[in-house]
Amino acid sequence: MTFRRFSRIAISACCIFSVMAFGQPGTLSAKAEDVELAIDSLPGPAESVEGNYLAAVVAGSARDTRAAALYFREALRDDPRNPELLERAFVALLANGDMEEAFSAARQLLQRDANNGLARLALGVEAMKARRYVTARKYLGSGGRGRAADLTATLLSAWSWVGSGNLRRALDTVERLKGENSYNVFRDYHAGLIAAVGGNRREAENRLKAAYDVERTTLRVVDAYGRLLSVRGEAEEARRVYEAFDRLLPRNPIVQDALQRLEAGERLSSLIANTQEGAAEVLYGLGAAGNSQGDEIAALIYLRLATFLAPKHELAIVTLGDMLERLKQYASAIEVFETMPANSPLRSSIDIQIAVSLELMGEKDRAQKHLEELIAANPDDVEGLIALGNLLRSRKDFAAAAEVYTRAVEAIGTPDQSRWTLFYFRGIAYERSKEWPKAEADFKKALELAPESVGSDRALVLNYLGYSWVDRHMNLDEAFEMLKRAVELRPRDGYIVDSLGWAYYRLGRYDDAVRELERAIELRPSDPTINDHLGDAYWRTGRKLEAKFQWNHARDLDPEPEDLVKILEKIEKGLPDEEKPAAAEAVEKPKNGG
């Protein structure tokens, strides 16, 4: 069977709230999809301002902040009075985490434009880090316009009042955020954190409970409220809060760590300990929101400012590193991941992510060695074993991947619903290793475990098992129903639509097959298997010229070697005559083309 799409499971931080895209720090250039610079082998600076500027713009278009910062820095040295160059360099330096240089550029910008909102935000954060809260408020109070800037400035100003020892003024400042429901939750969350740091535990509990009642599926709110309850000595209630979250989203490392500590009789510490951490929490929330909405440069800037204020902010580290990895800045991502505290409950997941980054940057031996060392230190590390299995599977070393997945299955013992993906992945590895009975058993186990609540993800298993049966002329009726259900769950997935089309083909319903396969081609025009399938369907409906066109197209799309041989034979000879399968009559033709 042709190798079909696999998913890579990676750790990601949950966005605190789904709010508007906060702030517009600016972008470096228009989007350039296929531009990538090798971070470890950047060319040296050009000999001219123009050359460095052009290199910086190209790097910025690729969202390569390290290269952009390097070349803008060099260009600025040769033309320090150029205001546009200064502003672009400032944004690049800030997004790359070159904070001291960025703050220096911000001061220069304000000399030219006293209302530059991003420069004021940056210098306000710098002042808060230095505990110069009056200065911070001066910067934050007069920079930027609009709701986004107001939200940022309001919350940071409120935290600055906490630093100044004025809790009442801090809470009054937060109260200025009213209106939209998302603002109300954000307001109650930060008001609760502010009250906790300021020593008003009753107000803290009231406000965090209000946020929790609205956002019970948001990790950060759950953790803040659970920790507050623990601090107050309400261990049982804290445990119930974490357990409720664990039932919805099992095995979150932060939640598991909290439950273990509570079980051991420990009292958890507060989520936020001081003003700097509180301000960092604001910036983390904004960065996470921008990340979820695709505002990459804005998100990078907020997250860089958050980690400047609170270098050990765990979720900011995870989100920033994950963003850099997605932007193919793997070396920078690893640098960020390495700042995760050794005693963090997220450290194990971060170590796995470091291996992922190493693999993606081409350091395959280092990636595998990194994971093997993690597993050697903890042989029953299920997540590490799954990560190694995924790595081997991505390299198409399916037999080795299946062996590693089996070790993970044995380490788990009795699997719960959340482990359905493990059996799905092992099923793929077995199927690709031509061990179909084992693969079939794993796919069935994955379906047995996967609850309906996983939604469209369940379609992946339905598709793989259904397609495999169809391809083997097995259980056609059941496979057909599985594939119809998979398409209902993922109607825009070209691979799954192709599977349904191929099921129609196997059943001898060639007109229906053409309809579905043409739709699959619209969704996935460059997939060799789908083009090959459509060629077969065209041939069976008498459209032989179009069939050869599709086969030729499939040949040119780099199919699997075993498939290429078959495609070339079809191009030369066409398909042999074939009687309509008897199974075709076993499935009632859907009404209205459904």
Side-chain angles (χ1 to χ4, degrees), residues 72-182:
F72 273 128
R73 185 188 293 116
E74 292 299 322
L76 194 60
R77 285 175 182 169
D78 292 331
D79 191 4
R81 296 182 181 279
N82 186 318
E84 180 182 355
L85 188 56
L86 177 63
E87 183 160 15
R88 283 174 173 264
F90 164 59
V91 173
L93 290 165
L94 199 55
N96 195 51
D98 300 324
M99 307 309 289
E100 294 307 319
E101 291 178 277
F103 295 144
S104 176
R107 279 186 275 274
Q108 295 177 58
L109 280 173
L110 288 185
Q111 291 176 4
R112 292 181 168 89
D113 177 10
N115 293 317
N116 186 299
L118 181 56
R120 287 192 165 275
L121 171 63
L123 293 176
V125 168
E126 181 191 37
M128 290 191 74
K129 175 79 169 184
R131 294 177 170 80
R132 294 186 283 111
Y133 302 116
V134 174
T135 301
R137 286 193 291 275
K138 287 180 180 177
Y139 282 123
L140 296 168
S142 55
R145 295 177 180 176
R147 291 187 300 173
D150 182 61
L151 174 68
T152 308
T154 297
L155 288 172
L156 291 179
S157 295
W159 277 105
S160 78
W161 282 113
V162 177
S164 295
N166 192 332
L167 177 60
R168 186 69 266 158
R169 189 68 178 269
L171 291 172
D172 288 345
T173 301
V174 175
E175 285 305 308
R176 286 160 40 190
L177 296 175
K178 292 183 178 179
E180 301 177 22
N181 287 336
S182 57

Side-chain angles (χ1 to χ4, degrees), residues 330 356-367 395:
Y330 305 121
V356 171
S357 293
L358 287 169
E359 176 79 2
L360 292 171
M361 68 190 293
E363 296 283 350
K364 294 183 178 296
D365 290 342
R366 288 177 61 195
R395 298 176 181 177

Side-chain angles (χ1 to χ4, degrees), residues 239-260:
R239 184 180 290 108
R240 281 193 286 271
V241 166
Y242 286 114
E243 287 174 345
F245 185 89
D246 188 59
R247 285 192 293 272
L248 292 172
L249 297 169
R251 299 195 323 276
N252 181 281
I254 290 175
V255 172
Q256 291 295 307
D257 181 70
L259 286 170
Q260 289 170 12

Side-chain angles (χ1 to χ4, degrees), residues 333-388:
I334 291 171
E335 287 179 5
V336 171
F337 288 142
E338 290 287 13
T339 66
M340 181 66 72
N343 62 352
S344 167
L346 295 176
R347 184 68 217 196
S348 177
S349 296
I350 285 296
D351 281 331
I352 291 171
Q353 201 65 17
I354 288 172
V356 171
S357 293
L358 287 169
E359 176 79 2
L360 292 171
M361 68 190 293
E363 296 283 350
K364 294 183 178 296
D365 290 342
R366 288 177 61 195
Q368 185 164 342
K369 181 180 178 182
H370 186 78
L371 284 175
E372 288 172 346
E373 288 175 348
L374 291 175
I375 295 167
N378 183 7
D380 292 329
D381 181 357
V382 173
E383 305 307 328
L385 288 166
I386 292 174
L388 180 58

Side-chain angles (χ1 to χ4, degrees), residues 42-336:
L42 289 175
E47 295 181 358
S48 66
V49 175
E50 293 80 5
N52 283 314
Y53 177 80
L54 180 60
V57 169
V58 171
S61 297
R63 301 298 191 264
D64 187 339
T65 59
R66 178 175 289 190
L70 168 66
Y71 294 122
F72 273 128
R73 185 188 293 116
E74 292 299 322
L76 194 60
R77 285 175 182 169
D78 292 331
D79 191 4
R81 296 182 181 279
N82 186 318
E84 180 182 355
L85 188 56
L86 177 63
E87 183 160 15
R88 283 174 173 264
F90 164 59
V91 173
L93 290 165
L94 199 55
N96 195 51
D98 300 324
M99 307 309 289
E100 294 307 319
E101 291 178 277
F103 295 144
S104 176
R107 279 186 275 274
Q108 295 177 58
L109 280 173
L110 288 185
Q111 291 176 4
R112 292 181 168 89
D113 177 10
N115 293 317
N116 186 299
L118 181 56
R120 287 192 165 275
L121 171 63
L123 293 176
V125 168
E126 181 191 37
M128 290 191 74
K129 175 79 169 184
R131 294 177 170 80
R132 294 186 283 111
Y133 302 116
V134 174
T135 301
R137 286 193 291 275
K138 287 180 180 177
Y139 282 123
L140 296 168
S142 55
R145 295 177 180 176
R147 291 187 300 173
D150 182 61
L151 174 68
T152 308
T154 297
L155 288 172
L156 291 179
S157 295
W159 277 105
S160 78
W161 282 113
V162 177
S164 295
N166 192 332
L167 177 60
R168 186 69 266 158
R169 189 68 178 269
L171 291 172
D172 288 345
T173 301
V174 175
E175 285 305 308
R176 286 160 40 190
L177 296 175
K178 292 183 178 179
E180 301 177 22
N181 287 336
S182 57
Y183 271 34
N184 294 339
V185 178
F186 215 52
R187 178 198 66 212
D188 284 333
Y189 175 69
H190 277 280
L193 296 177
I194 283 169
V197 173
N200 188 337
R201 290 187 175 180
R202 176 173 294 181
E203 180 72 4
E205 184 168 1
N206 288 339
R207 301 304 284 268
L208 287 177
K209 185 178 186 304
Y212 173 73
D213 287 343
V214 176
E215 291 286 342
R216 296 191 178 208
T217 59
T218 299
L219 173 61
R220 208 61 176 163
V221 174
V222 169
D223 198 24
Y225 185 49
R227 285 174 175 273
L228 180 69
L229 291 170
S230 176
V231 168
R232 290 175 58 87
E234 300 178 36
E236 286 302 318
E237 185 59 31
R239 184 180 290 108
R240 281 193 286 271
V241 166
Y242 286 114
E243 287 174 345
F245 185 89
D246 188 59
R247 285 192 293 272
L248 292 172
L249 297 169
R251 299 195 323 276
N252 181 281
I254 290 175
V255 172
Q256 291 295 307
D257 181 70
L259 286 170
Q260 289 170 12
R261 290 178 181 274
L262 290 169
E263 185 67 27
E266 295 183 32
R267 183 167 292 195
L268 305 179
S269 60
S270 297
L271 183 67
I272 301 298
N274 54 47
T275 295
Q276 285 68 35
E277 291 182 7
E281 185 72 8
V282 174
L283 294 163
Y284 158 69
L286 301 176
N291 178 38
S292 70
Q293 298 179 13
D295 196 352
E296 293 163 345
I297 298 300
L300 284 172
I301 287 173
Y302 283 129
L303 293 167
R304 291 291 192 185
L305 290 170
T307 54
F308 170 74
L309 278 171
K312 296 182 180 180
H313 192 299
E314 296 168 320
L315 293 190
I317 291 170
V318 171
T319 310
L320 177 57
D322 189 58
M323 274 199 71
L324 291 167
E325 184 188 85
R326 193 171 69 247
L327 294 172
K328 300 183 180 181
Q329 297 184 46
Y330 305 121
S332 294
I334 291 171
E335 287 179 5
V336 171

